[in-house]
Amino acid sequence: MPWLPRAALLWDVVLGFGGTAAFLIDLGADLWAAGQYVVSGRYLWAALVLALLGVASVALQLFSWLWLRADPAGLHAPQPPGRCLALLHLLQLGYLYRCVQGLQQGLLVWRQEAPSEFDLAYADFLTLDISMLRLFETFLETTPQLTLLLAIVLQSGRAESYQWVGICTSFVGISWALLDYHRALRTCLLSKSLLGLGSSVVYFLWNLLLLWPRVLAVALFSALFPHYVALHFLGLWLVLLFWVWLQGTDFMPDSCSEWLYRATVATILYFSWFNVAEGRTRGRATIHLVFLLSDSVLLVVTWVTHIAWLPGGIPLQMLLPVSGICFLLGLALRLVYYRWLHPRCRQEPDRVDGAWGLRSLEWRRLPQNRRMAQLAQSFFPRVRDEAALPQKGEANGVL
C-alpha cells in the first residue's frame, strides 16, 4: 500500500463512492417497489419486501456495532461518543456511518503527498469491514429480494419498469459485492498479488452466471409453491448451519455473536459458495456446488412434473435451456479463472539479515483487521503470511 500511486488511491475512493451510491439506489428501489405494491393492493408483497429490508438492516447494524465494540479503544479516534454510535446503529444508520468514515479516510490519504503507512493501513482496515458488511447485506437482503421479485414477475407474467431496474441492479450488485470482497481479502496477504483487470472481469462473470440458475430455480419454486418455499429454505438453512458449525468458525468476538455470523454464512451458502475455514477448499467447494446443483434440479423437476407453463403464460421450456447454458458457461469460466487467471503468490526478494525482522515489527504496529485476515487465510490456504496475520493473543487492530 505505501507504494500505491495517487491514481490508484483515487480509484479506490471512486469505488467507495460507487458502492455507497449503489446501496442507496438499491434501498430506494426496494422502497419504491414496496410503495407500488401497496398502491396496487398487493399488501403481502409489500410486507415481504419490508420484512426482508428490516431483517437485513438489523443484522447489519448488529455486526457493525459488535465489531466497533471489539476494536481497541482509540483505534477509530476521533469518533462520536459511545451513546451516539449506539443511537446511530439503533436508527439503522451504522452502515452508512461506516461508509462515510471510510470515504473520509480515503480522501485524507489521497490528498496527502506522502501518506503515512498508518493512514494507509487504517484506510484498508475500514475498507475491509465495509466490504464484509456489503457482502452480508447482499445475501441477506438483495438476493432474497431478487428471488421474490422474479417470483412475482413469473406469477404475473409481466414486469413493470421499476421491477426491471430492480432485477438488473440486483444481479450486478450481487456479483460486484462478491468481487469487491474477494479483492479486499487480498489486501490482507502480502504474498498475494492483486486481481488484474482481466481476472476481475472473469471472476465477476462466473459469479453472475452461476448465481442466475440458482436464483431462478428458487424463484420458479416460489411462484408455483409460495407456501412451501419458506419450509424449503429453513430445511436447507439448518443443514448449512450445521455444516458451518462443524467447521469451527471463530470470527466474532464472543460465542453468542458467533452464531449470528454462522447463521449469516448459512444464508450465503443457500445461494453461493463462501469459505470460512482452512483446509481442503477445493473439496468443500465441490461438495457445496453438487449440493446446490442437486437441490436446484429437484426444484425444477418439481415444476416440470406439475405444470409446463408459468401462471403468467411464460413457457418453462424457454427458461430452462437459458439457465442451463448460464450454469455451464459460469462453471467453465470458474475453472478457467482458477486454472490460469488466479493470482499467484509473489516471491519475496532476498533481504539483508535483520531487515525482515524490522519490517515485520513495523508492520505489526499498524492497524490490522484480524477478522478479515483470518478469512483471507481460509480463502487462500496455501499462503502463510505471518506479517499479515496477527498472532494468537493479539487484539484486532493494533498491538
Side-chain angles (χ1 to χ4, degrees):
M1 286 297 296
W3 300 278
L4 279 180
R6 288 176 58 83
L9 295 176
L10 178 61
W11 180 243
D12 288 340
V13 174
V14 172
L15 292 180
F17 273 110
T20 305
F23 169 77
L24 294 175
I25 292 173
D26 181 65
L27 177 62
D30 291 336
L31 294 176
W32 182 23
Q36 292 295 320
Y37 294 148
V38 171
V39 171
S40 60
R42 303 288 187 173
Y43 300 112
L44 178 60
W45 293 352
L48 289 174
V49 171
L50 295 178
L52 290 173
L53 275 175
V55 171
S57 180
V58 170
L60 214 62
Q61 308 308 316
L62 283 175
F63 277 115
S64 177
W65 174 248
L66 291 170
W67 293 350
L68 285 174
R69 291 286 299 273
D71 291 340
L75 174 64
H76 300 287
Q79 68 175 5
R83 291 184 178 181
C84 293
L85 284 177
L87 181 60
L88 282 174
H89 287 79
L90 187 62
L91 297 175
Q92 308 302 301
L93 298 175
Y95 174 70
L96 283 177
Y97 165 75
R98 281 181 169 270
C99 291
V100 172
Q101 187 184 27
L103 291 174
Q104 288 177 342
Q105 182 66 22
L107 288 173
L108 174 66
V109 170
W110 175 68
R111 289 172 180 171
Q112 296 176 0
E113 291 294 334
S116 65
E117 290 191 350
F118 182 90
D119 287 339
L120 289 167
Y122 183 57
D124 276 346
F125 186 101
L126 297 176
T127 301
L128 290 170
D129 275 354
I130 293 172
S131 296
M132 191 69 172
L133 291 173
R134 181 179 296 122
L135 184 75
F136 288 166
E137 188 272 339
T138 295
F139 284 98
L140 290 176
E141 189 270 326
T142 306
T143 309
Q145 292 276 17
L146 173 62
T147 306
L148 174 62
L149 181 57
L150 284 175
I152 292 173
V153 171
L154 293 174
Q155 276 192 344
S156 61
R158 59 189 180 90
E160 304 294 340
S161 57
Y162 64 89
Q163 292 176 324
W164 279 116
V165 171
I167 292 173
C168 296
T169 56
S170 295
F171 268 118
V172 175
I174 293 168
S175 300
W176 177 256
L178 288 170
L179 174 61
D180 176 66
Y181 173 73
H182 189 72
R183 290 174 62 90
L185 279 184
R186 306 192 73 84
T187 63
C188 298
L189 303 175
L190 295 178
S191 58
K192 281 282 187 178
S193 58
L194 298 179
L195 284 174
L197 178 60
S199 301
S200 299
V201 172
V202 174
Y203 188 87
F204 175 89
L205 287 177
W206 75 252
N207 275 286
L208 181 67
L209 293 173
L210 287 183
L211 184 66
W212 157 252
R214 175 60 181 172
V215 172
L216 179 62
V218 178
L220 284 171
F221 185 79
S222 303
L224 183 60
F225 304 103
H227 302 293
Y228 295 100
V229 65
L231 293 176
H232 173 267
F233 169 78
L234 182 61
L236 261 67
W237 181 81
L238 290 175
V239 173
L240 295 170
L241 180 63
F242 180 69
W243 191 37
V244 174
W245 173 72
L246 288 179
Q247 297 180 57
T249 61
D250 184 22
F251 183 77
M252 301 296 288
D254 56 76
S255 58
C256 293
S257 59
E258 187 68 27
W259 281 104
L260 173 64
Y261 171 70
R262 290 168 181 167
T264 303
V265 171
T267 306
I268 297 176
L269 291 173
Y270 181 81
F271 294 101
S272 181
W273 165 244
F274 188 81
N275 191 32
V276 294
E278 298 180 9
R280 300 183 63 85
T281 305
R282 183 181 302 175
R284 289 198 301 269
T286 303
I287 293 173
H288 178 262
L289 178 64
V290 173
F291 180 76
L292 281 195
L293 178 60
S294 302
D295 178 70
S296 299
V297 170
L298 287 176
L299 295 179
V300 172
V301 169
T302 304
W303 241 110
V304 173
T305 55
H306 281 76
I307 189 172
W309 290 75
L310 300 173
I314 304 174
L316 190 61
Q317 291 80 359
M318 292 178 57
L319 297 177
L320 295 184
V322 174
S323 60
I325 293 174
C326 287
F327 176 82
L328 293 177
L329 183 57
L331 185 60
L333 288 177
R334 183 176 183 177
L335 294 175
V336 168
Y337 170 81
Y338 282 109
R339 179 63 181 86
W340 289 290
L341 300 177
H342 193 59
R344 306 297 181 183
C345 299
R346 295 202 301 261
Q347 296 293 332
E348 294 292 339
D350 295 334
R351 294 178 176 84
V352 180
D353 292 343
W356 175 251
L358 293 175
R359 168 65 179 166
S360 179
L361 179 61
E362 181 183 4
W363 179 262
R364 292 180 186 278
R365 290 172 178 168
L366 300 176
Q368 301 170 33
N369 198 315
R370 185 183 66 86
R371 296 182 289 266
M372 301 297 288
Q374 287 179 335
L375 281 181
Q377 294 290 343
S378 301
F379 267 78
F380 312 110
R382 295 184 180 179
V383 181
R384 284 294 175 268
D385 197 336
E386 299 298 333
L389 182 62
Q391 301 294 328
K392 273 190 175 181
E394 295 181 8
N396 182 56
V398 293
L399 289 178

